[in-house]
Amino acid sequence: MGLRRFIQASYFQCARTSGILKHVRYKPPSLVQWRYSGSSLYKAVIFDMGGVLLPSPYRVAVEWEVRNCIPPGTIKQALISGGENRPWMRYMRGELTSAEFLQEFGHQCSEIVSQANLSVPVDSFLSDLTSSQMSKQLPIMTEALECIRAEGLKTAVLSNNFYLHSGVSFLPLDRSQFDVIESCREGICKPDPRIYTLCLERLGVQPKESIFLDDIGQNLKAAAQLGIKTVKVDDPEAALKELESCLGFPLQGFVPHTRLVRPTMEIPKDPLQKYLEEVLGGWTTGPLILRQFSHGQSNPTYYIKFGDRHLVLRKKPPGNLLPTAHAVEREYRVLKALAEAGVPVPKVLALCEDSSIIGTPFYLMEYCSGHIYKDVSLPGLDPGQRRAIYMAMNKVLCKIHRVDLKAAGLEDYGKHGNYVQRQVQTWTKQYRATETHTIPTMERLIEWLPLHLPGNQKTTVVHGDFRLDNLIFHPEGPEVLAVLDWELSTLGDPISDVAYNCMAHYMPSDLDILKGLKDCDVTELGIPTAEEYFQMYCEHMGIPPIENWNFYMAFSFFRVAAILQGVYKRSLTGQASSAAAESSGKQVELMANLAWDFATKEGFRVFKECSAAKPLARPYSTWTRNGAFSRRNYVTMAPSSPAHISKAHLILSPDGLPGRAQDLYHKLRRFMEIHIYPAEQVLRVHQVSQSRWTPHPLIEELKDKAKSEGLWNLFLPVESDPEVKYGAGLTNQEFSHLCELMGTSLFAPEIFNCSPPDTGNMEVLVRYGTEEQKERWLQPLLDGKIRSCFAMTEPQVASSDATNIESSVVEEKGFYILNGHKWWISAGHGEIFFENVRVPKENILLGPGRGFEIAQGRLGPGRIHHCMRLVGYSERALALMKERVTSRVAFGKPLAEQGTILEDIAKSRAEIEQARLLVLKAALLMDTAGNKAAALEIAMIKMVAPLMALRVIDRAIQAFGAAGLSNDYPLAQFFAWARALRLADGPDEVHRTAVAKLELKR
């Protein structure tokens, strides 16, 4: 079934491969005598090229010498004489160009025939050696390679080859069949042991797990000394017989995409042969050849050759099966009905529901020839041909969806209406039945999909697994001869088929289960985009496009994830019919993530529609499995006050800020672009100068400018300052966007009087200070006339546990006497000894014993600020990185075109977005439900944001190279501060513990 296969190729023979059998020149034991013997001792077969896969160069030399009247043996003597530094060996190691080789080789040959006084035209010999006729791969070796790869073994070609005049290496083989080792590219030749070792490393096998075929004794000897099994190739046919005996399976009679029947999938031949004789008629005679198609984790599929008949058998898998799954009876019924309705499908011959014959029900159909396109990018075709193929696929899908259900006798083939709802329920149940571990994204989808089901759904025949490699095309044109694999067919919503058909557009091209088009330029290839393909479908069907396309895509990927989970579960019990099924477990989460991407897009579409009409008050909850965990909703009715409108919903970007907050954001950005970024280098130089302990005059000048423009004390949340006496009256969420912008420069927060620890200390004084305390300390801090610090960490104890603190406070005659040792004091990072420090009692905040309560109340907004500044660090680092990699060149191309750089940029963007969303959610909860209710989210952001920033900044530094560590850029300082923030306000371990404890209480 569809994506329950990893390599879906036809179990119908491709016409262009059908001629291979006529080239077989030797006859191994009859195919019916071969049985799968379990795991082979060998995992790889390594071939020499000349003399094994291609004709021997010595044979070419003999024929050439005859034609050119050169003494026999001249070329061979020149090829083998002269030791490691002879021209031929140097040429194969890439040390000589073609011209240099011909000159030296010609001189060597002339010396050999000097007595005959002949000129040896060695350039003619090299032309013959590399001619298309002499470089044609031996057919029996080609077929042997196909048989070896069909059984799951790796193959490699280990060749002593050379560069042609054009600069291209001489290797006239299909490189996709091998892990290629070329001597001229590696700079080493056989029999050097290093080239064998390199080959084994690339194959990922041990010497004893590999077989090497060569026609030269010294090459074989070197391989054998490493422990590699060797086969001498004097005669290709005899060598293949020896190789067969080593491997234990035949190397001829290749049927595309088949292999020997796996032990767990064997079926009894005698009762099957008797059944075939009854169905096909008594005149069919001859041996029964049975092979298993290598694809198909769902219903095992077999190739049968019985006499002159070529058939395909589809059966249910063995073992306990899920209800309604693997219904071959339904496949047979729909194929028969659709054939009569004019839909191109394979011709079915018989259905056998008697499990006593081969152990399960099965059906037979004719083995159909044609072409299967396994690669959705259609390599080898021109753009016009590719578009024609996709158009033909689109038209045949429309033909399926137009089938008259009543006339075809398929009205009862499935339920009418609510197809998607039933499918979501079905695949959720299937997933639960095969679940092996919790996948959070699947849990979110299981909750999200039922809440976003489409309304009106048309009912037609749906294929359920409609994609390019389930179609057989005419070998000479874009005509669909047959649509395969109908196991998931039913009556349902036809749009689900179209969405499923478009999944390849969103999958990468290196994906195991299906080669995708995500990283291809489909327009250049001539392939319609997913949007164009859907528009084409709507035009053919005469229907308008739908709006909730993203839902259907999310559902399609969710269903595939559930299918793959079932494949993986069966692989653990040996029931899956493909040897590659076990790796499907790794693909489940990828499919789920793709599904969630589309769910998110659909959410944004709905959000935009709703927000265009009215402000959105929406619930926020962590994902839950229904009934398993408690669910938290935070919904606040939006007050009429403009200052509080944004408290009701999540603001994803500055463009979503209310008018006044948005104005402040744009003013802040302009100020930074005009004044702060240009001053950064001057300020960085000052930081490492002898006067670094004295504030730079430019800082004080910029503070005055910021204050005059109203960009001052923006941090105080409106709930702490409801009358807007001290701050700008912003919510935590609104200020978060401004705080991120400030975080793009290390100097900005101080310039706007929004830097720690002053922000936290000012908020403490606003919340808990007396009027006298506010007048003495708060107002000077708000005016920027004084700075403050926060002393908690002690060198002698683990200060992450506040109960460890050794400093003491003793009350004495109207004073508190302080004694203690502190270091890493915020805003000076100094080390201070407090020895009998006398603090007047009126200076205490709130009262004795209330310090921990105050500290925790202080840290909530402060942690939001830290985390949004970290997001700002990261955005600036990524921006600098992008600028750097587009302007620097290494190894002949811009850094931006290097694969690892592209991967790093993608990771950084994704991680920044994830962290920002989590911080904004925490800010929203603080605004709507209070700091205490947001404790979990506050702990999570402090755990997530610093690590994210470190990763993003580190990638930027790596892209900059040594410059990234210098004082010429802010990256090194960004990195140092991000690392420090994994300790400030509590180490990561404390926050992780808090998150876990809160989670366990829910």
Side-chain angles (χ1 to χ4, degrees):
M1 165 176 55
L3 284 180
R4 288 171 291 176
R5 299 193 290 264
F6 277 47
I7 301 176
Q8 163 66 37
S10 173
Y11 33 83
F12 302 86
Q13 184 177 17
C14 298
R16 65 182 185 184
T17 63
S18 61
I20 291 176
L21 292 176
K22 68 181 181 182
H23 297 293
V24 177
R25 294 164 51 198
Y26 74 101
K27 184 173 178 61
S30 171
L31 285 176
V32 295
Q33 297 178 25
W34 290 96
R35 285 183 49 129
Y36 188 98
S37 58
S39 299
S40 173
L41 292 173
Y42 300 103
K43 296 181 180 179
V45 181
I46 306 167
F47 295 84
D48 176 37
M49 183 169 68
V52 177
L53 297 173
L54 304 180
S56 168
Y58 302 130
R59 177 185 139 198
V60 176
V62 170
E63 296 175 356
W64 178 85
E65 287 168 345
V66 171
R67 290 198 310 273
N68 290 274
C69 301
I70 301 298
T74 300
I75 295 296
K76 182 174 183 180
Q77 185 178 346
L79 291 174
I80 65 175
S81 62
E84 288 297 308
N85 288 321
R86 63 187 184 272
W88 180 244
M89 290 298 288
R90 292 167 61 204
Y91 187 33
M92 288 188 294
R93 291 197 296 263
E95 297 171 7
L96 297 177
T97 65
S98 292
E100 291 169 340
F101 164 71
L102 289 173
Q103 182 178 357
E104 293 192 21
F105 190 65
H107 179 70
Q108 185 183 18
C109 290
S110 296
E111 288 184 345
I112 294 171
V113 299
S114 58
Q115 294 183 351
N117 195 26
L118 292 172
S119 174
V120 182
V122 292
D123 55 341
S124 170
F125 167 70
L126 188 61
S127 296
D128 272 18
L129 183 64
T130 58
S131 68
S132 58
Q133 182 179 0
M134 298 309 298
S135 59
K136 188 175 181 181
Q137 190 167 310
L138 297 175
I140 58 172
M141 287 295 178
T142 299
E143 188 171 22
L145 273 166
E146 292 171 326
C147 292
I148 291 168
R149 293 174 68 83
E151 297 300 326
L153 277 71
K154 297 180 180 180
T155 55
V157 58
L158 180 55
S159 171
N160 283 359
N161 70 332
F162 45 84
Y163 288 109
L164 300 171
H165 287 286
S166 63
V168 177
S169 65
F170 178 64
L171 197 85
L173 304 171
D174 181 359
R175 294 171 182 248
S176 65
Q177 292 186 328
F178 305 98
D179 184 89
V180 178
I181 304 292
E182 304 175 63
S183 60
C184 61
R185 293 187 183 277
E186 309 299 344
I188 46 178
C189 295
K190 296 174 295 184
D192 190 322
R194 292 177 297 169
I195 200 166
Y196 300 94
T197 302
L198 179 64
C199 184
L200 294 172
E201 288 176 354
R202 292 189 184 173
L203 287 171
V205 298
Q206 298 298 317
K208 65 181 180 180
E209 297 172 329
S210 59
I211 303 175
F212 176 51
L213 289 80
D214 203 308
D215 61 330
I216 299 177
Q218 63 177 353
N219 294 342
L220 294 166
K221 182 178 179 181
Q225 288 174 343
L226 293 173
I228 301 173
K229 170 68 177 176
T230 61
V231 174
K232 181 74 158 55
V233 184
D234 293 317
D235 174 64
E237 298 169 6
L240 287 182
K241 289 181 181 179
E242 183 179 349
L243 182 58
E244 277 186 340
S245 66
C246 295
L247 295 175
F249 55 81
L251 297 178
Q252 63 92 43
F254 176 69
V255 179
H257 317 300
T258 68
R259 57 174 298 162
L260 297 177
V261 178
R262 297 172 61 208
T264 57
M265 295 295 158
E266 289 183 347
I267 57 179
K269 288 184 178 178
D270 291 341
L272 176 60
Q273 180 166 339
K274 184 177 179 181
Y275 176 82
L276 292 175
E277 290 171 350
E278 293 175 358
V279 171
L280 302 176
W283 60 85
T284 302
T285 60
L288 173 65
I289 297 174
L290 185 67
R291 293 180 64 82
Q292 184 180 358
F293 285 94
S294 54
H295 64 267
Q297 282 95 300
S298 176
N299 289 336
T301 309
Y302 302 82
Y303 164 81
I304 297 173
K305 185 176 185 299
F306 186 42
D308 60 351
R309 300 295 296 269
H310 299 265
L311 308 171
V312 172
L313 182 151
R314 289 263 286 177
K315 67 183 287 290
K316 290 188 176 183
N320 295 325
L321 303 177
L322 296 172
T324 73
H326 312 283
V328 294
E329 301 88 350
R330 284 174 57 82
E331 285 187 53
Y332 176 83
R333 176 190 175 190
V334 74
L335 285 170
K336 195 170 186 300
L338 291 176
E340 294 171 356
V343 176
V345 291
K347 182 180 179 181
V348 291
L349 301 175
L351 169 67
C352 178
E353 299 180 272
D354 183 358
S355 298
S356 67
I357 295 177
I358 64 170
T360 66
F362 65 93
Y363 70 93
L364 293 170
M365 52 188 161
E366 288 188 348
Y367 187 93
C368 179
S369 60
H371 191 81
I372 301 290
Y373 294 104
K374 295 185 293 181
D375 189 333
V376 290
S377 67
L378 300 175
L381 301 184
D382 62 43
Q385 291 172 319
R386 293 189 184 103
R387 187 166 188 86
I389 290 292
Y390 273 80
M391 185 172 291
M393 175 169 63
N394 194 290
K395 287 181 177 178
V396 81
L397 180 60
C398 294
K399 197 167 190 177
I400 293 169
H401 293 165
R402 289 199 192 100
V403 168
D404 186 317
L405 299 180
K406 185 175 182 180
L410 293 173
E411 281 186 298
D412 61 343
Y413 190 61
K415 296 180 180 179
H416 291 244
N418 296 322
Y419 167 76
V420 177
Q421 179 180 356
R422 294 195 309 276
Q423 284 286 296
V424 170
Q425 293 171 349
T426 296
W427 291 111
T428 299
K429 289 178 183 177
Q430 300 278 42
Y431 173 74
R432 291 289 185 226
T434 58
E435 189 175 12
T436 54
H437 61 287
T438 299
I439 300 176
T441 314
M442 289 295 283
E443 302 299 331
R444 290 198 292 270
L445 288 164
I446 289 170
E447 183 177 358
W448 184 86
L449 287 167
L451 301 176
H452 297 81
L453 295 168
N456 298 326
Q457 299 177 39
K458 187 179 177 182
T459 300
T460 69
V461 171
V462 290
H463 182 276
D465 191 17
F466 190 85
R467 28 181 255 253
L468 185 64
D469 58 356
N470 268 337
L471 308 180
I472 301 177
F473 283 86
H474 194 285
E476 298 180 2
E479 176 189 354
V480 178
L481 299 179
V483 181
L484 314 177
D485 206 350
W486 289 84
E487 184 191 339
L488 291 180
S489 62
T490 186
L491 301 185
D493 186 342
I495 303 301
S496 63
D497 262 351
V498 191
Y500 188 89
N501 195 196
C502 289
M503 287 196 304
H505 282 76
Y506 305 99
M507 292 182 177
S509 60
D510 59 351
L511 195 63
D512 288 336
I513 58 174
L514 178 66
K515 307 300 181 187
L517 294 167
K518 185 177 181 180
D519 47 1
C520 299
D521 186 339
V522 292
T523 302
E524 183 177 339
L525 290 174
I527 296 172
T529 65
E531 293 77 13
E532 291 170 340
Y533 188 82
F534 180 54
Q535 182 64 37
M536 188 188 302
Y537 172 86
C538 292
E539 291 173 359
H540 290 156
M541 293 294 291
I543 60 172
I546 61 169
E547 294 181 346
N548 56 342
W549 172 253
N550 289 319
F551 170 87
Y552 284 93
M553 293 305 307
F555 163 66
S556 295
F557 280 108
F558 168 75
R559 185 178 64 164
V560 170
I563 290 170
L564 290 173
Q565 182 62 36
V567 173
Y568 176 63
K569 179 65 177 291
R570 291 201 307 278
S571 74
L572 299 180
T573 60
Q575 287 181 262
S577 61
S578 169
E582 187 173 351
S583 62
S584 63
K586 301 175 184 177
Q587 308 294 342
V588 177
E589 293 189 41
L590 172 62
M591 295 297 108
N593 289 336
L594 287 170
W596 188 248
D597 287 344
F598 281 101
T600 303
K601 291 178 184 177
E602 179 66 8
F604 276 117
R605 184 189 69 81
V606 175
F607 176 81
K608 288 178 181 178
E609 288 182 355
C610 294
S611 61
K614 60 180 180 180
L616 182 64
R618 55 187 285 197
Y620 290 88
S621 67
T622 54
W623 66 267
T624 62
R625 182 184 299 180
N626 291 339
F629 306 102
S630 63
R631 176 170 176 167
R632 301 179 300 154
N633 283 340
Y634 299 105
V635 182
T636 302
M637 295 301 294
S640 58
S641 169
H644 291 81
I645 287 177
S646 65
K647 291 178 67 174
H649 67 280
L650 191 65
I651 302 171
L652 299 174
S653 74
D655 292 336
L657 289 168
R660 181 170 172 275
Q662 192 170 140
D663 290 341
L664 284 172
Y665 181 90
H666 292 306
K667 284 179 64 177
L668 182 67
R669 185 173 63 184
R670 286 194 297 271
F671 190 98
M672 294 190 68
E673 291 171 348
I674 295 171
H675 300 296
I676 295 182
Y677 297 140
E680 282 184 318
Q681 190 57 47
V682 173
L683 298 176
R684 281 198 295 268
V685 171
H686 175 72
Q687 286 181 325
V688 294
S689 68
Q690 291 185 345
S691 59
R692 62 183 176 275
W693 299 111
T694 302
H696 195 285
L698 184 56
I699 289 284
E700 301 308 310
E701 178 185 333
L702 291 176
K703 283 183 178 180
D704 290 337
K705 284 183 180 291
K707 190 184 298 184
S708 66
E709 291 190 27
L711 299 174
W712 192 256
N713 293 335
L714 303 174
F715 66 93
L716 271 172
V718 68
E719 68 261 28
S720 298
D721 182 26
E723 297 177 8
V724 196
K725 290 174 58 178
Y726 308 111
L730 301 176
T731 65
N732 283 296
Q733 188 182 192
E734 290 166 351
F735 178 69
S736 293
H737 289 281
L738 278 67
C739 191
E740 176 186 338
L741 185 56
M742 293 182 201
T744 60
S745 172
L746 289 167
F747 307 100
E750 181 182 353
I751 289 168
F752 301 112
N753 210 35
C754 292
S755 62
D758 294 339
T759 51
N761 291 340
M762 283 187 271
E763 187 172 356
V764 164
L765 287 166
V766 169
R767 285 175 177 263
Y768 308 112
T770 64
E771 290 303 316
E772 292 76 15
Q773 291 168 344
K774 290 178 181 177
E775 182 179 355
R776 184 171 180 181
W777 290 294
L778 175 60
Q779 198 57 52
L781 282 170
L782 290 168
D783 294 338
K785 294 178 180 178
I786 63 173
R787 298 296 307 276
S788 61
C789 69
F790 191 89
M792 180 176 177
T793 305
E794 298 184 352
Q796 304 302 323
V797 296
S799 304
S800 57
D801 181 354
T803 63
N804 283 343
I805 291 177
E806 292 182 340
S807 298
S808 65
V809 179
V810 178
E811 184 178 352
E812 179 181 305
K813 297 181 181 179
F815 289 88
Y816 291 109
I817 310 301
L818 274 61
N819 283 279
H821 182 186
K822 301 284 186 179
W823 68 349
W824 293 101
I825 308 300
S826 299
H829 287 177
E831 185 171 359
I832 299 178
F833 289 87
F834 294 84
E835 295 179 355
N836 296 319
V837 175
R838 299 170 66 84
V839 178
K841 292 182 67 174
E842 61 264 28
N843 290 359
I844 193 171
L845 286 168
L846 208 57
R850 309 285 294 276
F852 191 81
E853 172 187 346
I854 295 171
Q856 291 304 304
R858 172 192 183 278
L859 290 175
R863 285 172 180 162
I864 289 282
H865 302 168
H866 275 318
C867 293
M868 285 308 285
R869 279 191 292 268
L870 286 165
V871 174
Y873 291 1
S874 306
E875 282 286 5
R876 181 82 182 281
L878 181 56
L880 289 169
M881 178 184 180
K882 291 190 290 186
E883 182 178 285
R884 182 76 167 187
V885 300
T886 54
S887 63
R888 305 284 284 194
V889 175
F891 304 105
K893 59 182 179 180
L895 290 177
E897 295 179 16
Q898 308 285 352
T900 55
I901 293 292
L902 294 172
E903 181 180 356
D904 284 348
I905 290 172
K907 287 180 180 177
S908 295
R909 169 50 58 206
E911 290 168 6
I912 291 171
E913 297 297 327
Q914 291 167 343
R916 179 190 289 116
L917 284 172
L918 187 57
V919 179
L920 290 174
K921 179 186 176 185
L924 176 64
L925 293 180
M926 290 169 63
D927 291 334
T928 57
N931 292 2
K932 186 174 181 181
L936 174 62
E937 282 70 19
I938 292 171
M940 285 196 293
I941 62 170
K942 188 58 177 62
M943 181 178 78
V944 167
L947 279 170
M948 175 278 297
L950 283 172
R951 290 193 295 269
V952 172
I953 298 164
D954 183 68
R955 294 180 191 125
I957 291 173
Q958 195 72 10
F960 268 78
L965 303 173
S966 73
N967 203 37
D968 294 340
Y969 298 95
L971 297 174
Q973 288 182 313
F974 280 161
F975 190 88
W977 277 105
R979 185 62 186 86
L981 286 170
R982 289 189 62 198
L983 298 169
D985 288 349
D988 290 359
E989 291 79 2
V990 170
H991 298 293
R992 283 196 289 264
T993 300
V995 169
K997 288 181 176 178
L998 287 168
E999 186 67 24
L1000 289 170
K1001 289 180 180 178
R1002 292 170 58 199

